[in-house]
Amino acid sequence: MTGSDVSPSFRLVYAPGVMPGKWVRVWNERLPGVPLTLTQVPAAETGGLLLAGDADAGLVRLPVDRTVLSAIPLYTEQTVVVVPKDHLVTAVDEVSPEDLADEIVLHPLDDVLAWETLPGRPALERPATTADAVELVAAGIGVLVVPLSLARLHHRKDLTHRPLRDAPESGVALAWPEAATTDLVEDFIGIVRGRTVNSTRGRARPSSSAQEKREKQEKPGRAAGKGGARRQQAAGGPAGGQRRGGGAAKRKGTGGTPKNPRRGTPRRGS
């Protein structure tokens, strides 16, 4: 099988919690002949997969190495604290770092928040993953601070969350290798940025075959109609004949009428 025999495809990696569904739906509508492969990987591994050529683009958590990767920031997530449903902080709508001063705040190894100083008290050991930390919160071991999407991803009926102010936030971006900006990458950029199919900033889309066929059929028809009308007029066709006939009838009808109806037999004097 040669390279030309291989059907094009688009490989997209994404970090846990990032939801690419809405963009995937648009992709499938616009490019139904180009399969899109989705792979979820730990946030810390997305950049390496892109640079290794194992993916065309990725929905990643910032920061990324901008010297080798191009990136378009998409949105910034709210930071929340995950606690048991009967925890004291559930009595308020928003939590501050000071409210967690006496809490054991779990800090998993795959944490995506860039902390300068973690609030609360540290645990004896760092959980390996966010999923492990959630299990510890459910067991009453501590609380967990994560982006809102990760709290929703690891939702449990016995846990809840509250917004945490004055905390670092996690930004999400579309990234791809700077040296590999392909046409398909440009297509996905256009979808993520909300461009329409006919946007001048996106790749031009060819007209459908049906549209081209209609245009080819309409052009000769219009030209023939104009030429036929001219030939009819030159040969004294119906249009010209009607005008000449109408004019002749009018002259004949008016020719029998005296120009001055008052002229007639002179009146005799009395």
Side-chain angles (χ1 to χ4, degrees), residues 52-240:
D54 294 328
D56 299 297
L59 295 170
V60 305
R61 292 193 179 275
L62 295 173
V64 297
D65 187 351
R66 294 295 187 96
T67 63
V68 289
L69 292 176
S70 296
I72 300 174
L74 300 178
Y75 58 88
T76 300
E77 286 197 67
Q78 184 182 53
T79 301
V80 300
V81 54
V82 179
V83 298
K85 278 194 170 181
D86 59 356
H87 197 281
L88 289 176
V89 302
T90 59
V92 297
D93 294 330
E94 188 179 62
V95 182
S96 69
E98 291 74 19
D99 295 329
L100 304 177
D102 295 329
E103 301 288 343
I104 294 177
V105 178
L106 302 167
H107 190 204
L109 295 175
D110 62 356
D111 185 24
V112 296
L113 298 174
W115 291 99
E116 291 185 3
T117 303
L118 196 70
R121 298 182 292 134
L124 295 178
E125 294 183 5
R126 294 183 64 182
T129 66
T130 298
D132 293 335
V134 169
E135 294 294 332
L136 293 175
V137 174
I141 304 300
V143 301
L144 174 65
V145 178
V146 290
L148 177 60
S149 67
L150 289 179
R152 290 173 173 169
L153 178 65
H154 299 288
H155 172 72
R156 290 174 52 120
K157 292 182 178 180
D158 54 347
L159 301 180
T160 189
H161 56 78
R162 290 290 185 272
L164 178 65
R165 65 174 181 267
D166 300 329
E169 297 174 321
S170 176
V172 174
L174 172 65
W176 66 95
E178 187 174 358
T181 307
T182 65
D183 286 342
L184 292 180
V185 169
E186 289 286 359
D187 285 329
F188 197 77
I189 292 172
I191 289 172
V192 167
R193 283 185 161 172
R195 297 176 191 161
T196 62
V197 177
N198 298 322
S199 172
T200 56
R201 297 187 64 188
R203 278 208 298 153
R205 290 276 177 241
S207 302
S208 66
S209 58
Q211 177 78 9
E212 293 176 352
K213 187 175 181 180
R214 283 197 302 271
E215 291 176 355
K216 289 179 181 178
Q217 290 175 345
E218 290 173 357
K219 289 179 181 178
R222 289 195 295 267
K226 292 179 181 178
R230 285 195 295 269
R231 285 194 296 272
Q232 278 187 341
Q233 292 175 6

